[in-house]
């Protein structure tokens, strides 16, 4: 076990844990944007910054990547930390000023949602956190989306901006996106889902009769697990 202090609280942690994990386990709130428990940390957003050390020898580190160490003193809400987070969120807001989710996050952190830096005018809400791309690749396992272009034009898309043949319409990218960039629409009857420029026919639950998942997604799960599609035709509420 490792002994450390977070916000004046003596804490025991396991070797190899990150500061973010340990803080959360102990009820200490650290905001994150690019972090997801099911994915390796990527350190893309810096929102989870904390200050480590004591006296004049302190430094700011990203808590989602930084491992615990014996005797470490951590401050998750010092003035320096709050300044870093304020700058990070204002830079993100300048890139995606139309993201309501981001504005809400800023508000929750007591930061004015008015962009401090020159705001982008392209209507893009993507802050390049990569959560969607990594979720599609590492959790779903299909790699239907990636990044294209460079600099301010860099964005998430399907290859050549064409509807993707490997996309299964699961919507995981849309659910995980913290800024609302990825649009997923459902037809009024619920029988068709549209995402990344493709329409996906929805399957009907054989118990309750509701549309619940794209047929392509069920086919994909069946292929990966060997469970016949017929057995997958039951929604999560009826299982
Ligand atoms: S679309 Fe959303 S999840 Fe994907 S990189 Fe942009 S902000 Fe992150
Ligand atoms: S949550 Fe740690 S860098 Fe984004």
């Amino acid at each position: 076990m490792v002994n450390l202090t977070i916000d004046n609280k003596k804490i025991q942690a396991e070797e190899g844990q990150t500061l973010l994990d340990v803080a959360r386990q102990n009820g200490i709130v650290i905001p994150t944007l690019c972090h997801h428990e099911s994915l390796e940390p990527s350190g893309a957003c810096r929102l989870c910054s904390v200050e480590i050390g004591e006296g004049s020898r302190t430094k700011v580190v990203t808590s989602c990547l930084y491992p615990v160490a014996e005797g470490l003193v951590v401050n998750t809400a010092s003035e320096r930390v709050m300044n870093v987070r304020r700058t990070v969120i204002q830079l993100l807001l300048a890139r995606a000023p139309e993201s309501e989710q981001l504005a809400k996050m800023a508000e929750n952190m007591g930061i004015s949602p008015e962009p401090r830096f020159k705001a982008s005018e392209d209507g893009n809400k993507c802050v390049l956190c990569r959560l969607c791309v990594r979720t599609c690749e590492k959790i779903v396992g299909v790699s239907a989306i990636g990044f294209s272009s460079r600099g301010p034009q860099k964005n998430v898309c399907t290859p050549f901006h064409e509807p993707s043949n490997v996309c299964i319409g699961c919507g995981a990218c849309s659910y995980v996106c913290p800024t609302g960039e990825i649009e997923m629409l459902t037809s009024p009857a619920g029988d068709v889902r549209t995402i990344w420029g493709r329409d996906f026919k929805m399957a009907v639950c054989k118990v309750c009769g509701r549309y619940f998942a794209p047929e392509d997604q069920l086919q994909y799960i069946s292929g990966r697990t060997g469970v016949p599609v017929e057995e997958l035709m039951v929604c999560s509420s009826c299982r």
Side-chain angles (χ1 to χ4, degrees):
M1 293 299 267
V2 173
N3 299 288
L4 69 161
T5 306
I6 306 183
D7 295 346
N8 297 319
K9 197 169 157 189
K10 301 269 178 233
I11 285 173
Q12 279 206 322
E14 280 171 42
E15 198 97 35
Q17 281 193 290
T18 63
L19 292 180
L20 177 66
D21 286 343
V22 175
R24 286 188 167 172
Q25 269 173 13
N26 286 276
I28 297 165
V29 177
I30 296 177
T32 59
L33 191 131
C34 69
H35 185 74
H36 192 283
E37 314 75 58
S38 306
L39 292 165
E40 289 288 307
S42 74
C45 74
R46 319 308 264 194
L47 201 59
C48 67
S49 292
V50 297
E51 190 170 6
I52 59 167
E54 285 179 281
S56 55
R57 299 178 58 187
T58 65
K59 63 176 178 176
V60 173
V61 299
T62 42
S63 65
C64 67
L65 289 171
Y66 207 87
V68 293
E70 184 62 35
L72 199 64
V73 175
V74 184
N75 195 335
T76 71
S78 66
E79 194 47 40
R80 195 173 167 197
V81 166
M82 297 316 281
N83 278 340
V84 171
R85 287 192 198 144
R86 243 188 301 277
T87 305
V88 167
I89 206 100
Q90 281 164 338
L91 283 166
L92 296 173
L93 275 169
R95 183 175 169 96
E98 287 173 36
S99 169
E100 286 169 24
Q101 291 85 337
L102 214 50
K104 187 90 203 139
M105 193 180 284
E107 202 182 308
N108 290 342
M109 289 167 61
I111 297 168
S112 162
E114 288 305 313
R116 180 174 133 201
F117 304 99
K118 187 174 175 344
S120 156
E121 288 168 5
D122 60 8
N124 191 344
K125 297 181 194 163
C126 178
V127 293
L128 305 177
C129 73
R130 302 191 74 247
L131 264 182
C132 55
V133 174
R134 294 193 300 136
T135 297
C136 188
E137 180 192 345
K138 306 284 184 197
I139 300 179
V140 185
V142 300
S143 295
I145 50 175
F147 286 102
S148 80
S149 303
R150 288 172 184 221
Q153 272 72 47
K154 189 168 176 179
N155 62 13
V156 177
C157 58
T158 50
F160 309 108
H161 294 272
E162 301 280 343
S164 160
N165 286 334
V166 296
C167 181
I168 55 173
C170 67
C173 55
S174 179
Y175 294 121
V176 85
C177 174
T179 64
E181 164 68 5
I182 302 174
E183 194 171 65
M184 181 168 73
L185 300 172
T186 306
S187 64
D191 58 339
V192 178
R193 171 183 289 177
T194 304
I195 187 167
W196 295 114
R198 238 185 95 187
D199 289 341
F200 293 87
K201 193 165 179 314
M202 300 294 278
V204 174
C205 170
K206 62 184 177 188
V207 179
C208 68
R210 282 190 307 127
Y211 293 109
F212 74 103
E215 289 180 356
D216 286 45
Q217 183 180 354
L218 300 181
Q219 292 285 358
Y220 175 76
I221 295 171
S222 172
R224 289 277 295 249
T225 60
V227 177
V229 173
E230 257 310 292
E231 288 179 28
L232 297 171
M233 299 295 260
V234 181
C235 73
S236 54
S237 315
C238 296
R239 242 176 259 145

